[in-house]
Amino acid sequence: MRFSPSPLLAAGAVLLTLLAGCQSRTSDTATTAAAPETAPTDTILPPAPNDGITATGIGSYIKVLASDAYQGRKPFTIGEQKTTTFLANEFKKLGLKPGPDGTYFQAVPLVEITGMPAPTMQIGGGKQPLTLNYKTDYMAFTEQEKEQVALTNSPLVFAGYGVVAPEYGWNDYAGLDVKGKTVVVLVNDPGNAENDTTMFKGHAMTYYGRWMYKYEEAARQGAAGLLIIHDTKPAAYPWSVVQSSYSGAKLRPQTADRGASKCALEGWLTLDAAKKIFQAAGQSYDEAYAAANKKGFRARPLNLTLSTSIRNKLRRQTSKNVVAVLPGTTRPDEYIIYSAHWDHLGIGAPVNGDSIYNGAADNASGCAALLSIAKAFQQAKEKPARSIVFLAVTGEEQGLLGSMYYASHPLFPVHKTVADLNMDDLPNMGPMRDLTVIGYGQSELDDYARTAAQEQRRYIQPDQNADKGYFFRSDHFSLAHVGIPSLYASGQSDNWFKGKAFAQKAAEAFEANTYHQPSDEYSPTADYRGMEQDARLLFRVGQRLASETTFPQWKAGSEFKAIREKSMAGK
Protein backbone atom coordinates (compact mmCIF):
# COMPACT_ATOMS: atom_id res chain seq x y z
CA MET A 1 0.00 0.00 0.00
CA ARG A 2 1.28 3.42 -0.93
CA PHE A 3 0.42 7.09 -0.79
CA SER A 4 -1.09 8.29 -4.03
CA PRO A 5 -0.27 11.28 -6.25
CA SER A 6 -2.66 12.41 -8.92
CA PRO A 7 -5.40 9.77 -8.92
CA LEU A 8 -5.19 9.46 -12.68
CA LEU A 9 -1.54 8.40 -12.69
CA ALA A 10 -0.84 4.77 -13.59
CA ALA A 11 -4.49 3.83 -13.28
CA GLY A 12 -4.00 0.55 -15.06
CA ALA A 13 -1.47 -0.60 -12.49
CA VAL A 14 -3.40 0.45 -9.43
CA LEU A 15 -6.24 -2.08 -9.88
CA LEU A 16 -8.04 -3.28 -6.77
CA THR A 17 -5.65 -1.66 -4.36
CA LEU A 18 -6.78 1.91 -4.86
CA LEU A 19 -10.11 0.61 -3.62
CA ALA A 20 -9.08 -1.97 -1.04
CA GLY A 21 -5.43 -2.83 -0.80
CA CYS A 22 -2.05 -1.20 -1.21
CA GLN A 23 -1.77 2.45 -2.06
CA SER A 24 0.80 4.61 -3.79
CA ARG A 25 3.49 6.49 -1.95
CA THR A 26 3.54 9.83 -3.75
CA SER A 27 2.06 12.91 -2.12
CA ASP A 28 -0.16 15.63 -3.51
CA THR A 29 0.77 18.90 -1.87
CA ALA A 30 -2.49 20.47 -2.99
CA THR A 31 -4.32 18.38 -0.41
CA THR A 32 -1.93 18.85 2.51
CA ALA A 33 -3.77 18.10 5.72
CA ALA A 34 -1.50 20.05 8.06
CA ALA A 35 1.95 21.55 8.12
CA PRO A 36 4.75 19.28 9.37
CA GLU A 37 6.66 19.97 12.54
CA THR A 38 9.94 21.86 12.24
CA ALA A 39 12.39 19.84 10.18
CA PRO A 40 15.95 19.27 11.45
CA THR A 41 18.74 20.66 9.30
CA ASP A 42 21.70 18.49 10.31
CA THR A 43 23.33 16.47 7.56
CA ILE A 44 24.82 13.66 9.63
CA LEU A 45 22.70 10.64 10.50
CA PRO A 46 22.46 9.80 14.20
CA PRO A 47 24.48 6.69 15.12
CA ALA A 48 22.44 3.50 14.89
CA PRO A 49 22.20 1.41 18.05
CA ASN A 50 23.35 -2.21 17.95
CA ASP A 51 19.83 -3.64 18.17
CA GLY A 52 19.96 -6.16 15.33
CA ILE A 53 17.99 -3.99 12.89
CA THR A 54 20.14 -3.22 9.85
CA ALA A 55 19.62 -2.18 6.26
CA THR A 56 21.67 -5.21 5.19
CA GLY A 57 19.50 -7.58 7.18
CA ILE A 58 16.31 -6.10 5.78
CA GLY A 59 17.71 -6.36 2.26
CA SER A 60 18.62 -10.02 2.76
CA TYR A 61 15.04 -10.88 3.76
CA ILE A 62 13.67 -8.97 0.77
CA LYS A 63 16.08 -10.82 -1.54
CA VAL A 64 14.50 -14.13 -0.52
CA LEU A 65 10.84 -13.12 -0.37
CA ALA A 66 10.94 -11.19 -3.65
CA SER A 67 12.87 -13.83 -5.58
CA ASP A 68 11.41 -15.46 -8.68
CA ALA A 69 11.25 -18.75 -6.77
CA TYR A 70 8.43 -17.29 -4.67
CA GLN A 71 6.40 -16.50 -7.84
CA GLY A 72 4.93 -13.25 -6.59
CA ARG A 73 3.51 -14.71 -3.34
CA LYS A 74 -0.10 -15.04 -4.45
CA PRO A 75 -2.49 -16.94 -2.15
CA PHE A 76 -3.34 -20.52 -3.18
CA THR A 77 -0.08 -20.96 -5.12
CA ILE A 78 3.33 -22.51 -4.55
CA GLY A 79 4.37 -18.94 -3.73
CA GLU A 80 2.13 -19.00 -0.66
CA GLN A 81 3.57 -22.31 0.48
CA LYS A 82 7.14 -21.06 0.15
CA THR A 83 6.42 -17.72 1.81
CA THR A 84 4.48 -18.96 4.81
CA THR A 85 7.00 -21.77 5.40
CA PHE A 86 9.92 -19.33 5.22
CA LEU A 87 8.31 -16.89 7.67
CA ALA A 88 7.37 -19.62 10.13
CA ASN A 89 10.88 -21.10 9.98
CA GLU A 90 12.47 -17.69 10.57
CA PHE A 91 10.25 -17.05 13.58
CA LYS A 92 11.11 -20.48 14.92
CA LYS A 93 14.86 -19.90 14.41
CA LEU A 94 14.53 -16.70 16.45
CA GLY A 95 13.07 -18.72 19.28
CA LEU A 96 9.59 -17.22 19.07
CA LYS A 97 6.64 -19.28 20.21
CA PRO A 98 3.82 -20.38 17.90
CA GLY A 99 0.24 -19.17 18.32
CA PRO A 100 -2.03 -20.35 21.14
CA ASP A 101 -3.05 -23.48 19.23
CA GLY A 102 0.58 -24.64 18.99
CA THR A 103 1.12 -23.75 15.31
CA TYR A 104 2.65 -20.79 13.51
CA PHE A 105 -0.32 -20.70 11.13
CA GLN A 106 -3.86 -19.41 11.34
CA ALA A 107 -6.07 -20.95 8.68
CA VAL A 108 -8.00 -18.34 6.70
CA PRO A 109 -10.88 -19.92 4.77
CA LEU A 110 -11.61 -17.97 1.60
CA VAL A 111 -13.94 -18.34 -1.33
CA GLU A 112 -13.00 -17.34 -4.84
CA ILE A 113 -16.03 -15.87 -6.61
CA THR A 114 -15.77 -15.35 -10.35
CA GLY A 115 -18.77 -13.22 -11.17
CA MET A 116 -20.26 -12.95 -14.65
CA PRO A 117 -22.84 -10.14 -14.57
CA ALA A 118 -25.60 -9.92 -17.12
CA PRO A 119 -24.61 -7.73 -20.06
CA THR A 120 -27.35 -5.21 -19.23
CA MET A 121 -29.25 -3.75 -16.31
CA GLN A 122 -32.88 -2.84 -16.93
CA ILE A 123 -34.34 0.27 -15.31
CA GLY A 124 -38.15 0.26 -15.47
CA GLY A 125 -40.97 2.46 -14.28
CA GLY A 126 -40.10 5.61 -16.17
CA LYS A 127 -41.73 7.06 -19.24
CA GLN A 128 -39.18 5.17 -21.33
CA PRO A 129 -37.34 1.96 -20.34
CA LEU A 130 -33.64 2.53 -19.67
CA THR A 131 -30.96 -0.06 -20.43
CA LEU A 132 -27.52 0.24 -18.84
CA ASN A 133 -24.53 -1.70 -20.17
CA TYR A 134 -22.11 -3.71 -18.06
CA LYS A 135 -18.65 -2.10 -17.68
CA THR A 136 -19.64 0.95 -19.71
CA ASP A 137 -22.39 2.13 -17.32
CA TYR A 138 -22.14 -0.12 -14.27
CA MET A 139 -20.06 -2.73 -12.49
CA ALA A 140 -21.76 -5.41 -10.41
CA PHE A 141 -20.66 -8.21 -8.10
CA THR A 142 -21.92 -10.20 -5.16
CA GLU A 143 -20.45 -11.60 -1.95
CA GLN A 144 -23.24 -14.15 -1.67
CA GLU A 145 -21.89 -17.64 -2.33
CA LYS A 146 -24.52 -18.68 -4.85
CA GLU A 147 -24.30 -19.88 -8.42
CA GLN A 148 -26.64 -17.07 -9.41
CA VAL A 149 -28.16 -13.98 -7.82
CA ALA A 150 -30.87 -11.92 -9.46
CA LEU A 151 -32.93 -8.83 -8.72
CA THR A 152 -36.24 -8.46 -10.50
CA ASN A 153 -38.07 -5.12 -10.39
CA SER A 154 -36.27 -4.08 -7.21
CA PRO A 155 -37.43 -0.54 -6.26
CA LEU A 156 -34.70 2.11 -6.48
CA VAL A 157 -34.12 4.56 -3.62
CA PHE A 158 -31.65 7.45 -3.37
CA ALA A 159 -30.14 7.57 0.13
CA GLY A 160 -27.56 10.35 -0.10
CA TYR A 161 -24.21 9.03 1.10
CA GLY A 162 -25.70 5.92 2.69
CA VAL A 163 -24.30 6.97 6.07
CA VAL A 164 -25.54 6.41 9.61
CA ALA A 165 -23.16 8.40 11.83
CA PRO A 166 -24.65 9.24 15.25
CA GLU A 167 -21.54 11.12 16.37
CA TYR A 168 -22.07 13.56 13.49
CA GLY A 169 -25.84 13.69 13.87
CA TRP A 170 -26.26 12.12 10.43
CA ASN A 171 -28.63 9.37 9.28
CA ASP A 172 -29.32 8.95 5.58
CA TYR A 173 -31.58 5.97 6.32
CA ALA A 174 -33.80 7.79 8.82
CA GLY A 175 -37.44 6.74 8.39
CA LEU A 176 -36.54 4.58 5.40
CA ASP A 177 -37.44 0.93 4.83
CA VAL A 178 -35.13 -0.51 2.17
CA LYS A 179 -35.91 -4.20 2.54
CA GLY A 180 -35.95 -5.73 -0.95
CA LYS A 181 -34.92 -2.42 -2.48
CA THR A 182 -31.77 -1.26 -4.25
CA VAL A 183 -30.16 1.81 -2.72
CA VAL A 184 -28.24 4.35 -4.80
CA VAL A 185 -25.66 6.42 -2.90
CA LEU A 186 -22.89 8.95 -3.50
CA VAL A 187 -19.19 8.16 -3.19
CA ASN A 188 -17.15 9.46 -0.25
CA ASP A 189 -18.64 11.30 2.76
CA PRO A 190 -20.41 14.68 2.94
CA GLY A 191 -17.59 16.81 4.31
CA ASN A 192 -14.85 15.29 2.19
CA ALA A 193 -16.77 15.18 -1.07
CA GLU A 194 -17.78 18.83 -0.77
CA ASN A 195 -14.56 19.93 0.95
CA ASP A 196 -16.71 21.42 3.70
CA THR A 197 -14.58 21.66 6.84
CA THR A 198 -17.69 22.03 9.01
CA MET A 199 -19.00 18.56 8.15
CA PHE A 200 -17.60 15.24 9.41
CA LYS A 201 -13.80 15.68 9.27
CA GLY A 202 -13.74 18.11 6.39
CA HIS A 203 -10.90 17.35 3.97
CA ALA A 204 -10.00 14.12 5.77
CA MET A 205 -12.14 11.17 4.72
CA THR A 206 -13.80 9.19 7.48
CA TYR A 207 -14.64 5.51 7.40
CA TYR A 208 -18.17 6.52 6.38
CA GLY A 209 -16.74 7.57 3.03
CA ARG A 210 -15.34 4.15 2.23
CA TRP A 211 -17.17 1.90 -0.22
CA MET A 212 -16.72 -0.99 2.25
CA TYR A 213 -18.77 0.82 4.89
CA LYS A 214 -21.53 1.69 2.43
CA TYR A 215 -22.02 -1.96 1.46
CA GLU A 216 -21.96 -3.00 5.12
CA GLU A 217 -24.54 -0.41 6.14
CA ALA A 218 -26.87 -1.23 3.27
CA ALA A 219 -26.76 -4.89 4.32
CA ARG A 220 -27.51 -3.94 7.92
CA GLN A 221 -30.50 -1.99 6.68
CA GLY A 222 -31.77 -5.04 4.79
CA ALA A 223 -31.29 -3.70 1.28
CA ALA A 224 -31.27 -6.12 -1.65
CA GLY A 225 -28.70 -4.05 -3.51
CA LEU A 226 -26.41 -1.04 -3.27
CA LEU A 227 -24.95 0.96 -6.14
CA ILE A 228 -22.38 3.71 -5.54
CA ILE A 229 -22.29 6.62 -7.96
CA HIS A 230 -18.71 7.04 -9.16
CA ASP A 231 -17.46 10.60 -9.54
CA THR A 232 -13.74 10.86 -10.32
CA LYS A 233 -12.91 13.90 -8.20
CA PRO A 234 -14.30 12.79 -4.82
CA ALA A 235 -13.51 9.14 -5.54
CA ALA A 236 -9.84 10.00 -6.32
CA TYR A 237 -9.61 7.32 -9.01
CA PRO A 238 -11.04 7.06 -12.54
CA TRP A 239 -13.77 4.69 -13.74
CA SER A 240 -11.13 2.48 -15.34
CA VAL A 241 -9.94 1.53 -11.85
CA VAL A 242 -13.47 0.47 -10.90
CA GLN A 243 -13.68 -1.58 -14.09
CA SER A 244 -10.42 -3.42 -13.49
CA SER A 245 -11.01 -3.83 -9.77
CA TYR A 246 -14.35 -5.59 -10.05
CA SER A 247 -13.70 -7.82 -13.04
CA GLY A 248 -12.77 -11.50 -12.85
CA ALA A 249 -12.16 -13.73 -9.84
CA LYS A 250 -12.13 -12.17 -6.40
CA LEU A 251 -11.34 -13.69 -3.04
CA ARG A 252 -13.83 -13.20 -0.20
CA PRO A 253 -13.93 -14.46 3.38
CA GLN A 254 -15.89 -17.65 3.85
CA THR A 255 -18.72 -17.00 6.29
CA ALA A 256 -21.07 -19.31 8.19
CA ASP A 257 -24.06 -17.99 6.23
CA ARG A 258 -22.12 -18.09 2.93
CA GLY A 259 -22.62 -14.38 2.40
CA ALA A 260 -26.39 -14.44 2.88
CA SER A 261 -26.22 -11.40 5.15
CA LYS A 262 -24.68 -9.34 2.36
CA CYS A 263 -26.65 -7.46 -0.27
CA ALA A 264 -27.40 -9.67 -3.24
CA LEU A 265 -26.07 -6.98 -5.56
CA GLU A 266 -23.17 -4.64 -4.89
CA GLY A 267 -21.74 -2.35 -7.49
CA TRP A 268 -21.04 1.01 -9.06
CA LEU A 269 -22.66 3.39 -11.51
CA THR A 270 -20.89 5.90 -13.69
CA LEU A 271 -21.90 9.48 -13.06
CA ASP A 272 -23.47 9.66 -16.53
CA ALA A 273 -25.50 6.51 -15.88
CA ALA A 274 -26.68 7.91 -12.54
CA LYS A 275 -27.81 11.12 -14.21
CA LYS A 276 -29.78 9.07 -16.76
CA ILE A 277 -31.51 7.24 -13.91
CA PHE A 278 -32.47 10.51 -12.20
CA GLN A 279 -33.69 11.87 -15.53
CA ALA A 280 -35.81 8.75 -16.05
CA ALA A 281 -37.22 9.34 -12.56
CA GLY A 282 -38.15 12.91 -13.48
CA GLN A 283 -35.68 14.25 -10.92
CA SER A 284 -32.56 16.40 -11.07
CA TYR A 285 -29.33 14.71 -10.08
CA ASP A 286 -27.73 18.07 -9.24
CA GLU A 287 -30.59 18.97 -6.92
CA ALA A 288 -30.44 15.55 -5.23
CA TYR A 289 -26.68 15.91 -4.79
CA ALA A 290 -27.04 19.35 -3.22
CA ALA A 291 -29.75 18.09 -0.87
CA ALA A 292 -27.62 15.11 0.18
CA ASN A 293 -24.89 17.47 1.33
CA LYS A 294 -27.11 19.30 3.81
CA LYS A 295 -27.99 18.23 7.32
CA GLY A 296 -31.52 16.95 7.61
CA PHE A 297 -31.45 15.22 4.20
CA ARG A 298 -34.12 12.60 3.81
CA ALA A 299 -33.86 9.71 1.37
CA ARG A 300 -36.23 9.73 -1.57
CA PRO A 301 -37.72 6.99 -3.76
CA LEU A 302 -36.88 7.21 -7.44
CA ASN A 303 -40.10 5.41 -8.44
CA LEU A 304 -38.07 3.17 -10.72
CA THR A 305 -37.15 -0.51 -10.61
CA LEU A 306 -33.96 -2.42 -11.34
CA SER A 307 -33.56 -5.87 -12.87
CA THR A 308 -30.31 -7.72 -13.47
CA SER A 309 -28.43 -10.90 -12.52
CA ILE A 310 -24.98 -12.34 -11.86
CA ARG A 311 -23.79 -15.91 -12.50
CA ASN A 312 -20.91 -17.11 -10.34
CA LYS A 313 -18.21 -19.76 -10.32
CA LEU A 314 -17.21 -20.68 -6.76
CA ARG A 315 -14.01 -22.18 -5.41
CA ARG A 316 -13.33 -22.61 -1.69
CA GLN A 317 -9.80 -22.89 -0.34
CA THR A 318 -7.83 -22.05 2.77
CA SER A 319 -4.95 -19.58 2.97
CA LYS A 320 -2.75 -18.82 5.98
CA ASN A 321 -1.80 -16.03 8.31
CA VAL A 322 1.57 -16.59 9.98
CA VAL A 323 1.78 -15.80 13.71
CA ALA A 324 4.57 -15.92 16.30
CA VAL A 325 4.75 -14.70 19.89
CA LEU A 326 7.39 -13.44 22.28
CA PRO A 327 5.70 -13.95 25.67
CA GLY A 328 5.78 -11.05 28.09
CA THR A 329 7.69 -11.36 31.33
CA THR A 330 5.18 -9.89 33.79
CA ARG A 331 1.98 -9.21 31.80
CA PRO A 332 1.97 -11.97 29.19
CA ASP A 333 -1.83 -11.72 28.78
CA GLU A 334 -1.54 -8.23 27.24
CA TYR A 335 -0.46 -8.05 23.61
CA ILE A 336 1.18 -5.68 21.14
CA ILE A 337 0.79 -6.72 17.50
CA TYR A 338 3.23 -6.01 14.66
CA SER A 339 1.52 -6.67 11.32
CA ALA A 340 2.54 -6.89 7.68
CA HIS A 341 0.97 -8.65 4.71
CA TRP A 342 3.01 -11.33 2.96
CA ASP A 343 0.98 -11.63 -0.27
CA HIS A 344 1.39 -9.93 -3.62
CA LEU A 345 -0.02 -10.40 -7.13
CA GLY A 346 1.65 -13.63 -8.29
CA ILE A 347 2.18 -14.31 -11.97
CA GLY A 348 0.35 -12.04 -14.39
CA ALA A 349 0.50 -10.29 -17.72
CA PRO A 350 4.14 -10.05 -18.86
CA VAL A 351 5.81 -6.65 -19.03
CA ASN A 352 9.00 -6.55 -21.08
CA GLY A 353 9.05 -10.34 -20.97
CA ASP A 354 8.72 -10.60 -17.18
CA SER A 355 5.49 -12.06 -15.78
CA ILE A 356 6.40 -12.46 -12.08
CA TYR A 357 5.09 -9.64 -9.89
CA ASN A 358 7.73 -10.04 -7.19
CA GLY A 359 6.50 -7.34 -4.79
CA ALA A 360 9.85 -6.37 -3.26
CA ALA A 361 8.56 -3.11 -1.83
CA ASP A 362 4.98 -4.32 -1.66
CA ASN A 363 5.27 -6.01 0.73
CA ALA A 364 8.46 -8.04 1.14
CA SER A 365 9.71 -4.84 2.77
CA GLY A 366 7.09 -4.99 5.52
CA CYS A 367 7.81 -8.68 6.18
CA ALA A 368 11.54 -7.93 6.28
CA ALA A 369 10.92 -5.22 8.87
CA LEU A 370 8.67 -7.61 10.81
CA LEU A 371 11.45 -10.22 11.01
CA SER A 372 14.04 -7.57 11.87
CA ILE A 373 11.94 -6.23 14.73
CA ALA A 374 11.40 -9.76 16.01
CA LYS A 375 15.17 -10.22 16.01
CA ALA A 376 15.64 -6.94 17.89
CA PHE A 377 13.20 -7.96 20.62
CA GLN A 378 14.95 -11.29 21.02
CA GLN A 379 18.38 -9.64 21.23
CA ALA A 380 17.32 -6.94 23.69
CA LYS A 381 18.75 -7.33 27.18
CA GLU A 382 15.46 -6.24 28.73
CA LYS A 383 12.62 -8.48 27.64
CA PRO A 384 9.15 -6.94 27.16
CA ALA A 385 6.70 -7.07 30.05
CA ARG A 386 3.81 -7.48 27.60
CA SER A 387 3.68 -10.16 24.92
CA ILE A 388 4.72 -9.19 21.39
CA VAL A 389 2.79 -10.78 18.52
CA PHE A 390 4.23 -10.90 15.00
CA LEU A 391 1.44 -11.30 12.44
CA ALA A 392 2.05 -11.78 8.71
CA VAL A 393 -1.33 -11.81 6.98
CA THR A 394 -2.68 -13.09 3.69
CA GLY A 395 -4.96 -11.53 1.11
CA GLU A 396 -4.25 -7.83 1.62
CA GLU A 397 -4.14 -7.27 -2.10
CA GLN A 398 -7.63 -8.79 -2.38
CA GLY A 399 -9.12 -6.50 0.26
CA LEU A 400 -7.43 -6.95 3.68
CA LEU A 401 -8.77 -10.50 3.90
CA GLY A 402 -6.23 -12.03 6.27
CA SER A 403 -6.29 -9.16 8.74
CA MET A 404 -10.08 -9.00 8.57
CA TYR A 405 -10.23 -12.69 9.39
CA TYR A 406 -7.86 -12.25 12.30
CA ALA A 407 -9.93 -9.33 13.60
CA SER A 408 -13.10 -11.42 13.58
CA HIS A 409 -11.30 -14.58 14.82
CA PRO A 410 -8.61 -13.13 17.09
CA LEU A 411 -6.01 -15.48 18.50
CA PHE A 412 -5.54 -13.10 21.42
CA PRO A 413 -8.38 -11.17 23.11
CA VAL A 414 -9.15 -7.84 21.48
CA HIS A 415 -9.68 -6.10 24.83
CA LYS A 416 -6.23 -7.32 25.90
CA THR A 417 -4.55 -6.12 22.70
CA VAL A 418 -2.77 -2.84 23.39
CA ALA A 419 -2.05 -1.70 19.82
CA ASP A 420 -1.24 -2.72 16.26
CA LEU A 421 1.90 -1.39 14.54
CA ASN A 422 1.58 -1.99 10.80
CA MET A 423 4.26 -2.09 8.08
CA ASP A 424 3.34 -1.93 4.42
CA ASP A 425 5.37 -0.95 1.37
CA LEU A 426 8.29 0.80 3.05
CA PRO A 427 10.12 3.24 0.75
CA ASN A 428 13.65 2.32 -0.35
CA MET A 429 14.95 5.77 -1.24
CA GLY A 430 17.38 6.02 1.67
CA PRO A 431 17.21 7.75 5.08
CA MET A 432 14.25 10.09 5.56
CA ARG A 433 13.75 13.11 7.77
CA ASP A 434 9.96 12.87 7.93
CA LEU A 435 7.70 10.33 9.54
CA THR A 436 4.34 10.49 7.79
CA VAL A 437 1.52 9.16 9.96
CA ILE A 438 -1.51 7.86 8.09
CA GLY A 439 -4.58 8.60 10.17
CA TYR A 440 -2.80 11.29 12.18
CA GLY A 441 -5.06 12.53 14.95
CA GLN A 442 -6.88 9.24 15.38
CA SER A 443 -5.15 7.97 18.52
CA GLU A 444 -2.54 8.63 21.19
CA LEU A 445 -0.13 6.48 19.20
CA ASP A 446 0.74 9.72 17.38
CA ASP A 447 2.53 10.80 20.57
CA TYR A 448 4.48 7.55 20.78
CA ALA A 449 5.52 7.97 17.14
CA ARG A 450 6.58 11.57 17.78
CA THR A 451 8.82 10.60 20.68
CA ALA A 452 10.46 7.81 18.67
CA ALA A 453 10.93 10.12 15.68
CA GLN A 454 12.62 12.74 17.85
CA GLU A 455 15.10 10.09 19.03
CA GLN A 456 16.11 9.76 15.38
CA ARG A 457 16.11 13.54 14.87
CA ARG A 458 13.16 13.20 12.51
CA TYR A 459 9.92 15.16 12.41
CA ILE A 460 6.38 13.85 12.30
CA GLN A 461 3.75 14.99 9.82
CA PRO A 462 0.16 14.03 9.01
CA ASP A 463 -0.78 12.17 5.87
CA GLN A 464 -0.55 14.76 3.13
CA ASN A 465 -3.48 13.12 1.29
CA ALA A 466 -5.96 12.63 4.12
CA ASP A 467 -8.84 13.24 1.71
CA LYS A 468 -8.01 9.95 -0.05
CA GLY A 469 -8.82 7.85 3.03
CA TYR A 470 -5.58 5.86 3.11
CA PHE A 471 -6.05 5.07 6.80
CA PHE A 472 -8.69 2.58 5.68
CA ARG A 473 -6.57 0.81 3.05
CA SER A 474 -4.03 -1.34 4.83
CA ASP A 475 -4.17 -4.13 7.39
CA HIS A 476 -4.01 -1.90 10.45
CA PHE A 477 -7.54 -0.80 9.57
CA SER A 478 -8.91 -4.29 10.18
CA LEU A 479 -7.60 -4.09 13.75
CA ALA A 480 -8.85 -0.52 14.17
CA HIS A 481 -12.24 -1.68 12.94
CA VAL A 482 -12.61 -3.81 16.09
CA GLY A 483 -11.29 -1.00 18.29
CA ILE A 484 -7.55 -1.71 18.56
CA PRO A 485 -5.51 1.54 18.30
CA SER A 486 -3.30 1.24 15.23
CA LEU A 487 -0.25 3.03 13.90
CA TYR A 488 0.71 3.09 10.22
CA ALA A 489 3.68 5.38 9.55
CA SER A 490 6.90 5.60 7.55
CA GLY A 491 9.24 8.13 5.97
CA GLN A 492 7.73 9.30 2.71
CA SER A 493 8.48 12.81 1.53
CA ASP A 494 11.80 14.25 2.75
CA ASN A 495 15.06 12.46 1.96
CA TRP A 496 17.70 13.10 4.63
CA PHE A 497 20.45 14.11 2.19
CA LYS A 498 18.60 15.05 -1.02
CA GLY A 499 15.45 16.73 0.25
CA LYS A 500 11.79 16.80 -0.66
CA ALA A 501 12.11 17.33 -4.42
CA PHE A 502 14.24 14.21 -4.74
CA ALA A 503 11.79 12.19 -2.65
CA GLN A 504 8.85 13.38 -4.71
CA LYS A 505 10.57 12.57 -7.99
CA ALA A 506 11.67 9.14 -6.79
CA ALA A 507 8.19 8.32 -5.55
CA GLU A 508 6.56 9.43 -8.80
CA ALA A 509 9.02 7.35 -10.82
CA PHE A 510 8.27 4.31 -8.66
CA GLU A 511 4.54 4.81 -9.07
CA ALA A 512 4.73 5.20 -12.83
CA ASN A 513 7.24 2.46 -13.58
CA THR A 514 7.36 -0.05 -10.72
CA TYR A 515 4.30 -0.06 -8.47
CA HIS A 516 2.36 -3.31 -9.01
CA GLN A 517 4.62 -4.16 -11.90
CA PRO A 518 7.09 -7.03 -12.41
CA SER A 519 9.85 -4.44 -11.97
CA ASP A 520 9.15 -4.23 -8.22
CA GLU A 521 12.13 -6.50 -7.62
CA TYR A 522 14.98 -6.84 -5.17
CA SER A 523 18.02 -4.72 -6.07
CA PRO A 524 21.40 -5.18 -4.39
CA THR A 525 22.09 -1.47 -4.95
CA ALA A 526 18.87 -0.22 -3.32
CA ASP A 527 19.27 1.97 -0.24
CA TYR A 528 17.41 0.22 2.58
CA ARG A 529 18.49 2.63 5.31
CA GLY A 530 15.09 4.32 5.35
CA MET A 531 13.47 0.95 6.00
CA GLU A 532 15.97 0.43 8.82
CA GLN A 533 14.94 3.80 10.30
CA ASP A 534 11.24 2.94 10.15
CA ALA A 535 11.67 -0.56 11.56
CA ARG A 536 13.75 0.78 14.45
CA LEU A 537 11.23 3.51 15.14
CA LEU A 538 8.39 1.01 15.37
CA PHE A 539 10.58 -1.24 17.53
CA ARG A 540 11.07 1.66 19.96
CA VAL A 541 7.33 2.39 20.00
CA GLY A 542 6.66 -1.27 20.80
CA GLN A 543 9.27 -1.27 23.57
CA ARG A 544 7.63 1.71 25.24
CA LEU A 545 4.14 0.21 24.94
CA ALA A 546 5.43 -3.06 26.36
CA SER A 547 6.88 -1.34 29.43
CA GLU A 548 3.69 0.51 30.39
CA THR A 549 0.61 -0.54 32.29
CA THR A 550 -1.79 1.81 30.51
CA PHE A 551 -3.47 1.37 27.11
CA PRO A 552 -3.25 4.07 24.39
CA GLN A 553 -6.64 5.59 23.61
CA TRP A 554 -8.49 6.72 20.52
CA LYS A 555 -8.86 10.48 20.48
CA ALA A 556 -12.17 12.32 20.70
CA GLY A 557 -13.86 12.33 17.31
CA SER A 558 -12.37 9.04 16.14
CA GLU A 559 -14.98 6.70 14.71
CA PHE A 560 -13.24 3.83 16.52
CA LYS A 561 -13.40 5.28 20.03
CA ALA A 562 -16.88 3.96 20.85
CA ILE A 563 -15.99 0.49 19.51
CA ARG A 564 -12.96 0.33 21.81
CA GLU A 565 -14.87 1.57 24.82
CA LYS A 566 -17.56 -1.03 24.28
CA SER A 567 -14.94 -3.76 23.89
CA MET A 568 -13.12 -2.73 27.06
CA ALA A 569 -16.36 -2.43 29.03
CA GLY A 570 -17.35 -5.97 28.08
CA LYS A 571 -14.03 -7.57 28.96
Side-chain angles (χ1 to χ4, degrees), residues 39-56:
T41 57
D42 51 331
T43 57
I44 300 175
L45 283 172
N50 185 22
D51 55 12
I53 299 174
T54 66
T56 300

Side-chain angles (χ1 to χ4, degrees), residues 298-335:
R298 288 294 178 263
R300 59 185 68 177
L302 293 174
N303 299 317
L304 299 172
T305 62
L306 177 150
S307 299
T308 195
S309 63
I310 305 173
R311 289 186 297 110
N312 296 313
K313 290 182 179 178
L314 305 174
R315 183 167 67 119
R316 294 178 179 84
Q317 285 189 257
T318 299
S319 188
K320 296 174 183 175
N321 291 334
V322 186
V323 60
V325 186
L326 177 62
T329 57
T330 60
R331 293 190 301 285
D333 62 341
E334 295 176 358
Y335 307 91

Side-chain angles (χ1 to χ4, degrees), residues 14-21 113-117 134-135 138-143 187 210-215 226 228 230 237-252 266-269 310 312 398-399:
V14 177
L15 300 178
L16 174 68
T17 56
L18 263 176
L19 300 175
I113 304 178
T114 305
M116 294 162 280
Y134 176 58
K135 289 194 174 182
Y138 74 94
M139 296 299 296
F141 61 98
T142 185
E143 295 183 69
V187 73
R210 294 287 291 136
W211 56 266
M212 184 187 300
Y213 165 79
K214 296 176 189 290
Y215 294 132
L226 180 83
I228 301 173
H230 174 269
Y237 41 80
W239 179 250
S240 60
V241 172
V242 179
Q243 289 176 314
S244 57
S245 299
Y246 293 102
S247 301
K250 299 300 170 193
L251 293 177
R252 306 289 181 191
E266 298 174 342
W268 295 76
L269 293 167
I310 305 173
N312 296 313
Q398 296 282 335

